[in-house]
Amino acid sequence: MSLLEVENLRVTFSTETGPVEAVRGVSFQLGRERLGIVGESGSGKTMTGRAVLRLIRPPGKIQTDRMIFDGQDLSKASERDMRALRGRRIAMVMQDPKYSLNPVMRVGDQLTEGLRQRDRLGAAEARKKALAALEAVQIRDPERVMDAYPHELSGGMGQRVMIAMMLIPEPDLLIADEPTSALDVTVQAEVLSILDGLVRERGMGLIFISHDLRLVARFCDRVLVMYKGRVVEELVARDLMAAQHPYTRGLLNCLPRIGGSRAPLPGLDRTGTWAND
Amino acid sequence: MTTTQNTPARSLAFLRQIAGGLTTLAITLLGLLLVTFFIGRVVPIDPVLSIVGERATAAQYEAARVALGLDQPLWKQFGIYVLDAVQGDLGTSIRTGAPIIGEIARYFPATLELATLGTIIGVIVGVPAGVLAATRPGSLADQVVRLVGLMGYSMPVFWLGLIGLLVFYGHLDWVGGPGRLDPVYEMMLEFSMTQYTGAILIDTALNGAWEVFANALSHIVLPAGILGYVSMAYISRMTRSFMMNELGQEYITTARVKGMPEWRVIWVHAMKNVMVPLITVIALSYAYLLEGSVLTETIFAWPGLGSYITDALFTADMPAVLGGTIVVGVVFVTLNMASDILYRLVDPRART
């Protein structure tokens, strides 16, 4: 049985000029594997990820025929049930730790918050678990990081803290929304390998949202290519570079290559029938 | 690898900032004294004449002028003025002949008590109202908070005070009338109690005189409520906008992803960030009540700083007016400084 099954997911925002559909009928299945979602900005990949957690802020609305997570229909779950799922079983790592960590709370307090509030652990025990989680993301001086504020950490450190925080409850599904886009290239590789290791080791399902096609091809098992709120192509990640769909081909064509031609990179050709509607 | 600072360096930086703040404070106050000194020289009121009277001889006039130090060069006069002020001597009132600092020490606690209670009411009502409005934008609750706040902005305080007195004192008799106490209790307070602070609510409580306390409470509740309403209007508005801004931030999503209940997301995660700008807003509104309650004090016959300065103005008692002005200035600057320090305590980013 698959871990997550989404059928005909729609996310609509009502605006003054009428409803805007950010996601228009996306369906996919996910086992304990790594699923990549790629697409240009505004293609609806982030909204798809957040809709799974039912964290779309009003005026956004989520509609779906079915959204089954481990036998439970998320579209019919109460807010209370969703909170229990969010805390323990589905987690999300966001793009930039500069914004996704609370700036006026110590890292340690943010790490132990779930353990203290949800699992009712004592301060000492929660701290021990948090320290272990920091070590698991290869932070060498966890004691000091615990007492630091987010602005005192580098981007790479911040993102490790974020990953540690999200993995503490050992979730079954992790949604990583551009987890390395805000980081330096050298740090990106480190953070990715940490993420990769933990996901493999713990056998989680992973939804990896990115606009970096090469990264996704290397890192994921399967890939959804999204355009204008729809899935235009679904492929095995190995075959991404050999994709057939004109949109995916277009995206691949705009990637620069070292040693490649110095001619200007081509823009996306949106003249095909796929590009309309 | 980490850029975490160790704690001693952090607190040292904090102390240095406080020292810097104190220096700024001193310079600001010196500037304030310069302004009041200058005003004292340019107003068309002859300080010598107002002391000796119109029928004094030239010799008496000259003697008084020397006694006041007005024969000295201007910079020397200013030096003496500053030295006196630093030692708490703000001159002598022309009206009463008593030291101004002593008079202000008697009047100021009444203002302090009123403004403090008003600010407490404003915060206790205004912050939750603002949060409520921010978490349900466009809802009925939001509309009500907006309307009530708008009324607080737009209705003049003196009008609210008069109507309040008419309704709650005149017709309903729910509250005490003008003044801080009924005359009977004023005598009791004056002659049979130790006055620790000058704030009647505190003094009577410390003396265990609960009957007087109740009377004082019935007198202060209406003016404090009106000042509280005005400050609530401002505080709720600002809280709403700060809170809406924070609720749109990414760390709020993080807290929700962690499965935190909504009350915790709002009152812990967002509130800690809202506190940072809100402290300044509360301090400013407190300062505004402390210095700007002249109208309220007049309507309620409240013997506070506002009444003192107004009375002094009507009798052209220039030293008293300027003394009061200095006290208001000191209060304002001190509150600003205090909000700066508090601001750094809640926002770790401002500390380094």
Side-chain angles (χ1 to χ4, degrees):
Chain A
M1 196 176 80
S2 58
L3 186 62
L4 179 71
E5 215 182 310
V6 176
E7 224 176 280
N8 195 19
L9 171 72
R10 292 173 177 276
V11 177
T12 321
F13 287 84
S14 53
T15 66
E16 278 162 26
T17 52
V20 174
E21 290 201 296
V23 179
R24 306 185 295 166
V26 165
S27 306
F28 62 90
Q29 289 198 357
L30 175 77
R32 294 196 178 263
E33 59 180 332
R34 291 164 299 171
L35 175 72
I37 302 182
V38 293
E40 60 191 335
S41 303
S43 59
K45 46 193 199 306
T46 293
M47 284 300 152
T48 303
R50 293 198 178 193
V52 172
L53 278 159
R54 286 226 332 240
L55 280 177
I56 307 280
R57 277 166 58 78
K61 282 206 175 61
I62 305 168
Q63 289 166 300
T64 169
D65 295 350
R66 269 150 61 85
M67 190 154 73
I68 313 279
F69 171 77
D70 202 17
Q72 188 178 359
D73 194 340
L74 300 185
S75 60
K76 296 190 179 73
S78 69
E79 188 51 34
R80 198 189 166 80
D81 291 341
M82 278 313 294
R83 264 209 305 277
L85 279 178
R86 277 181 211 136
R88 289 173 217 266
R89 307 205 50 202
I90 310 179
M92 177 162 74
V93 174
M94 280 161 286
Q95 185 168 355
D96 195 338
K98 233 187 351 253
Y99 302 110
S100 54
L101 292 171
N102 192 330
V104 300
M105 277 171 90
R106 286 185 196 276
V107 167
D109 293 337
Q110 302 190 47
L111 277 167
T112 53
E113 186 182 22
L115 295 167
R116 308 263 291 138
Q117 298 295 321
R118 202 180 47 226
D119 304 334
R120 304 268 159 218
L121 290 189
E125 202 179 339
R127 190 177 171 90
K128 227 172 80 189
K129 281 204 169 187
L131 285 171
L134 286 180
E135 272 163 25
V137 292
Q138 295 169 27
I139 286 178
R140 263 161 261 167
D141 43 2
E143 292 277 354
R144 257 171 49 167
V145 172
M146 286 284 279
D147 293 330
Y149 285 99
H151 74 278
E152 295 167 330
L153 303 177
S154 66
M157 285 298 259
Q159 201 59 307
R160 288 170 201 222
V161 166
M162 189 74 193
I163 293 171
M165 186 157 81
M166 288 304 166
L167 293 188
I168 282 179
E170 312 215 328
D172 299 296
L173 171 60
L174 180 69
I175 300 165
D177 187 358
E178 310 238 10
T180 56
S181 307
L183 307 179
D184 287 342
V185 183
T186 47
V187 186
Q188 271 185 12
E190 267 176 47
V191 169
L192 270 178
S193 79
I194 290 170
L195 194 60
D196 190 30
L198 291 172
V199 168
R200 274 173 204 279
E201 197 176 291
R202 303 187 186 187
M204 284 180 258
L206 174 75
I207 297 179
F208 189 87
I209 298 166
S210 176
H211 57 250
D212 189 333
L213 293 164
R214 287 196 188 122
L215 194 67
V216 168
R218 221 172 45 225
F219 190 63
C220 296
D221 304 316
R222 270 187 318 131
V223 181
L224 300 181
V225 183
M226 284 187 73
Y227 176 69
K228 275 192 177 176
R230 287 185 200 280
V231 175
V232 293
E233 194 171 18
E234 185 178 340
L235 331 120
V236 177
R238 287 193 301 279
D239 305 337
L240 183 64
M241 293 301 160
Q244 291 309 311
H245 193 278
Y247 175 65
T248 319
R249 290 247 42 96
L251 287 180
L252 288 169
N253 283 339
C254 3
L255 293 177
R257 271 182 298 272
I258 292 176
S261 127
R262 294 214 188 148
L265 288 167
L268 261 177
D269 176 17
R270 294 175 206 259
T271 51
T273 45
W274 59 271
N276 304 315
D277 163 77
Chain B
M1 187 146 203
T2 38
T3 48
T4 320
Q5 290 189 352
N6 54 20
T7 320
R10 217 186 247 166
S11 46
L12 194 69
F14 188 45
L15 282 180
R16 198 176 300 129
Q17 281 173 337
I18 290 181
L22 284 172
T23 316
T24 319
L25 186 80
I27 294 171
T28 315
L29 291 180
L30 192 69
L32 176 68
L33 286 174
L34 191 62
V35 171
T36 53
F37 177 78
F38 181 69
I39 294 173
R41 301 304 120 163
V42 296
V43 286
I45 298 171
D46 185 344
V48 185
L49 202 61
S50 51
I51 289 174
V52 296
E54 280 170 27
R55 268 166 293 179
T57 62
Q60 282 172 324
Y61 182 91
E62 194 51 37
R65 203 169 90 89
V66 173
L68 283 176
L70 291 175
D71 55 333
Q72 306 280 344
L74 213 52
W75 62 268
K76 217 167 180 176
Q77 288 183 32
F78 181 63
I80 295 168
Y81 181 69
V82 171
L83 276 181
D84 284 350
V86 167
Q87 292 163 28
D89 180 2
L90 296 176
T92 311
S93 164
I94 293 168
R95 217 169 8 147
T96 61
I100 288 163
I101 193 79
E103 297 197 321
I104 288 179
R106 266 209 324 282
Y107 280 88
F108 187 62
T111 298
L112 191 63
E113 188 173 30
L114 184 59
T116 307
L117 199 59
T119 302
I120 291 174
I121 294 173
V123 171
I124 288 181
V125 181
V127 172
V131 171
L132 184 74
T135 48
R136 296 171 183 74
S139 70
L140 184 69
D142 184 22
Q143 306 290 351
V144 169
V145 170
R146 187 200 309 267
L147 189 71
V148 172
L150 196 66
M151 280 168 22
Y153 273 138
S154 42
M155 282 193 291
V157 169
F158 63 87
W159 186 81
L160 275 177
L162 286 173
I163 297 296
L165 275 176
L166 184 71
V167 174
F168 295 109
Y169 174 60
H171 285 290
L172 298 169
D173 202 22
W174 287 355
V175 300
R180 298 175 80 188
L181 282 172
D182 288 355
V184 184
Y185 294 113
E186 239 162 66
M187 304 291 275
M188 281 176 69
L189 181 77
E190 194 70 34
F191 296 113
S192 64
M193 272 176 235
T194 327
Q195 297 198 30
Y196 301 99
T197 59
I200 294 184
L201 289 177
I202 296 174
D203 286 349
T204 51
L206 287 177
N207 279 288
W210 297 109
E211 201 185 325
V212 189
F213 178 86
N215 187 257
L217 194 63
S218 81
H219 276 266
I220 203 173
V221 75
L222 188 58
I226 285 168
L227 290 183
Y229 180 38
V230 174
S231 106
M232 180 277 272
Y234 180 53
I235 290 175
S236 68
R237 213 65 213 137
M238 299 312 277
T239 305
R240 180 184 186 273
S241 101
F242 294 150
M243 182 53 89
M244 290 200 68
N245 182 40
E246 292 305 328
L247 287 179
Q249 303 291 319
E250 196 77 331
Y251 69 83
I252 292 294
T253 309
T254 305
R256 292 201 172 116
V257 170
K258 284 199 286 181
M260 288 301 126
E262 202 56 21
W263 67 265
R264 200 176 158 83
V265 171
I266 292 165
W267 288 101
V268 178
H269 282 272
M271 203 58 198
K272 279 194 174 195
N273 287 276
V274 168
M275 281 306 288
V276 177
L278 197 59
I279 281 174
T280 312
V281 165
I282 293 173
L284 279 180
S285 116
Y286 188 32
Y288 172 76
L289 292 195
L290 275 174
E291 69 193 59
S293 45
V294 176
L295 288 172
T296 319
E297 289 186 0
T298 309
I299 303 247
F300 287 93
W302 200 261
L305 191 61
S307 301
Y308 178 75
I309 297 178
T310 319
D311 290 349
L313 265 173
F314 285 136
T315 50
D317 187 349
M318 225 37 217
V321 173
L322 294 178
T325 310
I326 290 173
V327 171
V328 167
V330 170
V331 165
F332 192 81
V333 176
T334 313
L335 272 175
N336 260 310
M337 166 100 186
S339 87
D340 264 11
I341 293 174
L342 274 175
Y343 180 92
R344 298 209 159 92
L345 283 179
V346 278
D347 190 352
R349 287 162 298 183
R351 261 176 256 161
T352 39

Short mmCIF file of all heavy atoms in Angstrom, two decimals, chain A residues 7-35:
data_model
loop_
_atom_site.label_atom_id
_atom_site.label_comp_id
_atom_site.label_asym_id
_atom_site.label_seq_id
_atom_site.Cartn_x
_atom_site.Cartn_y
_atom_site.Cartn_z
N GLU A 7 -5.45 12.46 -5.25
CA GLU A 7 -6.21 12.40 -6.48
C GLU A 7 -6.92 13.71 -6.73
O GLU A 7 -7.71 14.18 -5.91
CB GLU A 7 -7.24 11.26 -6.38
CG GLU A 7 -7.31 10.43 -7.64
CD GLU A 7 -8.27 9.27 -7.44
OE1 GLU A 7 -7.84 8.27 -6.83
OE2 GLU A 7 -9.42 9.38 -7.86
N ASN A 8 -6.63 14.29 -7.88
CA ASN A 8 -7.31 15.50 -8.33
C ASN A 8 -7.26 16.63 -7.29
O ASN A 8 -8.28 17.16 -6.88
CB ASN A 8 -8.76 15.16 -8.69
CG ASN A 8 -9.40 16.27 -9.51
OD1 ASN A 8 -8.70 17.09 -10.09
ND2 ASN A 8 -10.72 16.31 -9.52
N LEU A 9 -6.05 16.98 -6.90
CA LEU A 9 -5.86 18.06 -5.92
C LEU A 9 -5.95 19.43 -6.60
O LEU A 9 -5.34 19.66 -7.63
CB LEU A 9 -4.49 17.92 -5.24
CG LEU A 9 -4.04 19.06 -4.35
CD1 LEU A 9 -4.84 19.09 -3.06
CD2 LEU A 9 -2.56 18.96 -4.04
N ARG A 10 -6.76 20.30 -5.99
CA ARG A 10 -6.87 21.66 -6.50
C ARG A 10 -6.66 22.64 -5.37
O ARG A 10 -7.18 22.45 -4.28
CB ARG A 10 -8.27 21.92 -7.07
CG ARG A 10 -8.54 21.14 -8.31
CD ARG A 10 -9.97 21.26 -8.77
NE ARG A 10 -10.07 20.52 -10.02
CZ ARG A 10 -9.76 21.05 -11.20
NH1 ARG A 10 -9.41 22.32 -11.29
NH2 ARG A 10 -9.83 20.32 -12.29
N VAL A 11 -5.89 23.69 -5.63
CA VAL A 11 -5.74 24.78 -4.65
C VAL A 11 -6.18 26.06 -5.33
O VAL A 11 -5.64 26.43 -6.37
CB VAL A 11 -4.28 24.90 -4.15
CG1 VAL A 11 -4.16 26.08 -3.19
CG2 VAL A 11 -3.84 23.63 -3.47
N THR A 12 -7.17 26.70 -4.76
CA THR A 12 -7.75 27.89 -5.38
C THR A 12 -7.62 29.08 -4.43
O THR A 12 -7.88 28.95 -3.23
CB THR A 12 -9.24 27.66 -5.66
OG1 THR A 12 -9.42 26.33 -6.11
CG2 THR A 12 -9.74 28.63 -6.70
N PHE A 13 -7.23 30.20 -4.97
CA PHE A 13 -7.22 31.44 -4.18
C PHE A 13 -8.29 32.36 -4.74
O PHE A 13 -8.29 32.64 -5.94
CB PHE A 13 -5.86 32.13 -4.28
CG PHE A 13 -4.80 31.42 -3.51
CD1 PHE A 13 -4.12 30.35 -4.08
CD2 PHE A 13 -4.48 31.81 -2.22
CE1 PHE A 13 -3.15 29.68 -3.37
CE2 PHE A 13 -3.50 31.15 -1.51
CZ PHE A 13 -2.83 30.08 -2.08
N SER A 14 -9.20 32.80 -3.88
CA SER A 14 -10.17 33.76 -4.38
C SER A 14 -9.57 35.15 -4.26
O SER A 14 -9.11 35.54 -3.19
CB SER A 14 -11.48 33.66 -3.60
OG SER A 14 -11.24 33.77 -2.24
N THR A 15 -9.52 35.86 -5.37
CA THR A 15 -8.99 37.22 -5.37
C THR A 15 -10.08 38.16 -5.84
O THR A 15 -11.17 37.73 -6.19
CB THR A 15 -7.78 37.33 -6.33
OG1 THR A 15 -8.26 37.12 -7.66
CG2 THR A 15 -6.72 36.31 -6.01
N GLU A 16 -9.75 39.44 -5.84
CA GLU A 16 -10.76 40.41 -6.24
C GLU A 16 -11.13 40.27 -7.71
O GLU A 16 -12.21 40.63 -8.14
CB GLU A 16 -10.25 41.83 -5.97
CG GLU A 16 -10.45 42.22 -4.51
CD GLU A 16 -9.59 43.40 -4.10
OE1 GLU A 16 -9.24 44.20 -4.98
OE2 GLU A 16 -9.28 43.50 -2.91
N THR A 17 -10.21 39.72 -8.50
CA THR A 17 -10.50 39.56 -9.93
C THR A 17 -10.97 38.14 -10.25
O THR A 17 -10.86 37.68 -11.36
CB THR A 17 -9.25 39.88 -10.76
OG1 THR A 17 -8.16 39.10 -10.24
CG2 THR A 17 -8.90 41.34 -10.68
N GLY A 18 -11.48 37.46 -9.23
CA GLY A 18 -11.98 36.10 -9.45
C GLY A 18 -10.99 35.07 -8.93
O GLY A 18 -9.88 35.40 -8.54
N PRO A 19 -11.41 33.78 -8.93
CA PRO A 19 -10.56 32.74 -8.37
C PRO A 19 -9.32 32.47 -9.23
O PRO A 19 -9.39 32.52 -10.45
CB PRO A 19 -11.48 31.52 -8.33
CG PRO A 19 -12.54 31.80 -9.32
CD PRO A 19 -12.70 33.27 -9.39
N VAL A 20 -8.19 32.26 -8.56
CA VAL A 20 -6.97 31.88 -9.26
C VAL A 20 -6.61 30.47 -8.83
O VAL A 20 -6.55 30.18 -7.64
CB VAL A 20 -5.81 32.84 -8.89
CG1 VAL A 20 -4.51 32.36 -9.50
CG2 VAL A 20 -6.12 34.25 -9.34
N GLU A 21 -6.41 29.58 -9.78
CA GLU A 21 -6.09 28.20 -9.44
C GLU A 21 -4.59 28.01 -9.47
O GLU A 21 -3.96 28.11 -10.53
CB GLU A 21 -6.76 27.25 -10.43
CG GLU A 21 -8.27 27.21 -10.27
CD GLU A 21 -8.82 25.94 -10.89
OE1 GLU A 21 -8.69 25.79 -12.11
OE2 GLU A 21 -9.37 25.11 -10.13
N ALA A 22 -4.00 27.73 -8.30
CA ALA A 22 -2.56 27.53 -8.23
C ALA A 22 -2.22 26.07 -8.54
O ALA A 22 -1.17 25.78 -9.12
CB ALA A 22 -2.04 27.91 -6.85
N VAL A 23 -3.08 25.17 -8.13
CA VAL A 23 -2.90 23.76 -8.44
C VAL A 23 -4.20 23.28 -9.09
O VAL A 23 -5.27 23.51 -8.54
CB VAL A 23 -2.60 22.94 -7.16
CG1 VAL A 23 -2.42 21.47 -7.51
CG2 VAL A 23 -1.36 23.47 -6.46
N ARG A 24 -4.08 22.63 -10.28
CA ARG A 24 -5.29 22.28 -11.01
C ARG A 24 -5.35 20.79 -11.31
O ARG A 24 -4.96 20.33 -12.37
CB ARG A 24 -5.34 23.06 -12.33
CG ARG A 24 -5.18 24.56 -12.09
CD ARG A 24 -5.35 25.33 -13.36
NE ARG A 24 -4.30 25.00 -14.33
CZ ARG A 24 -4.38 25.33 -15.62
NH1 ARG A 24 -5.44 25.94 -16.08
NH2 ARG A 24 -3.40 25.02 -16.43
N GLY A 25 -5.81 20.05 -10.33
CA GLY A 25 -6.03 18.63 -10.58
C GLY A 25 -4.76 17.79 -10.63
O GLY A 25 -4.46 17.16 -11.62
N VAL A 26 -3.99 17.82 -9.55
CA VAL A 26 -2.76 17.03 -9.49
C VAL A 26 -3.06 15.69 -8.81
O VAL A 26 -3.74 15.65 -7.79
CB VAL A 26 -1.67 17.78 -8.72
CG1 VAL A 26 -0.54 16.86 -8.33
CG2 VAL A 26 -1.16 18.95 -9.53
N SER A 27 -2.58 14.60 -9.40
CA SER A 27 -2.73 13.28 -8.79
C SER A 27 -1.38 12.60 -8.78
O SER A 27 -0.62 12.71 -9.74
CB SER A 27 -3.70 12.42 -9.60
OG SER A 27 -4.93 13.09 -9.75
N PHE A 28 -1.06 11.96 -7.67
CA PHE A 28 0.17 11.15 -7.64
C PHE A 28 0.11 10.18 -6.48
O PHE A 28 -0.76 10.29 -5.59
CB PHE A 28 1.42 12.03 -7.55
CG PHE A 28 1.51 12.87 -6.30
CD1 PHE A 28 2.15 12.38 -5.16
CD2 PHE A 28 0.99 14.15 -6.26
CE1 PHE A 28 2.25 13.15 -4.02
CE2 PHE A 28 1.07 14.93 -5.13
CZ PHE A 28 1.70 14.43 -4.00
N GLN A 29 1.01 9.22 -6.52
CA GLN A 29 1.12 8.26 -5.42
C GLN A 29 2.55 8.26 -4.94
O GLN A 29 3.46 8.55 -5.70
CB GLN A 29 0.76 6.86 -5.91
CG GLN A 29 -0.71 6.71 -6.20
CD GLN A 29 -1.10 5.25 -6.26
OE1 GLN A 29 -0.25 4.37 -6.14
NE2 GLN A 29 -2.39 5.01 -6.46
N LEU A 30 2.69 7.93 -3.67
CA LEU A 30 4.04 7.94 -3.10
C LEU A 30 4.17 6.77 -2.14
O LEU A 30 3.33 6.58 -1.26
CB LEU A 30 4.27 9.26 -2.36
CG LEU A 30 5.57 9.41 -1.61
CD1 LEU A 30 6.69 9.71 -2.58
CD2 LEU A 30 5.47 10.55 -0.60
N GLY A 31 5.23 6.00 -2.34
CA GLY A 31 5.53 4.96 -1.36
C GLY A 31 6.64 5.46 -0.47
O GLY A 31 6.83 6.66 -0.34
N ARG A 32 7.39 4.55 0.13
CA ARG A 32 8.54 5.00 0.91
C ARG A 32 9.70 5.21 -0.05
O ARG A 32 10.65 4.47 -0.08
CB ARG A 32 8.87 4.00 2.00
CG ARG A 32 7.76 3.93 3.02
CD ARG A 32 8.16 3.26 4.30
NE ARG A 32 7.03 3.29 5.23
CZ ARG A 32 6.90 4.19 6.19
NH1 ARG A 32 7.80 5.12 6.37
NH2 ARG A 32 5.84 4.17 6.98
N GLU A 33 9.56 6.23 -0.85
CA GLU A 33 10.54 6.51 -1.90
C GLU A 33 10.76 8.02 -1.95
O GLU A 33 10.16 8.76 -1.19
CB GLU A 33 9.97 6.05 -3.24
CG GLU A 33 8.66 6.75 -3.53
CD GLU A 33 8.02 6.35 -4.84
OE1 GLU A 33 8.75 5.97 -5.74
OE2 GLU A 33 6.79 6.44 -4.93
N ARG A 34 11.60 8.43 -2.88
CA ARG A 34 11.89 9.85 -2.99
C ARG A 34 11.30 10.39 -4.29
O ARG A 34 11.74 10.03 -5.37
CB ARG A 34 13.39 10.08 -2.93
CG ARG A 34 13.93 9.78 -1.53
CD ARG A 34 15.41 9.60 -1.53
NE ARG A 34 15.79 8.48 -2.39
CZ ARG A 34 17.04 8.20 -2.72
NH1 ARG A 34 18.02 8.94 -2.29
NH2 ARG A 34 17.31 7.18 -3.49
N LEU A 35 10.30 11.22 -4.11
CA LEU A 35 9.60 11.78 -5.27
C LEU A 35 9.99 13.24 -5.45
O LEU A 35 9.88 14.03 -4.52
CB LEU A 35 8.08 11.69 -5.03
CG LEU A 35 7.20 12.35 -6.09
CD1 LEU A 35 7.20 11.52 -7.37
CD2 LEU A 35 5.78 12.51 -5.57
#
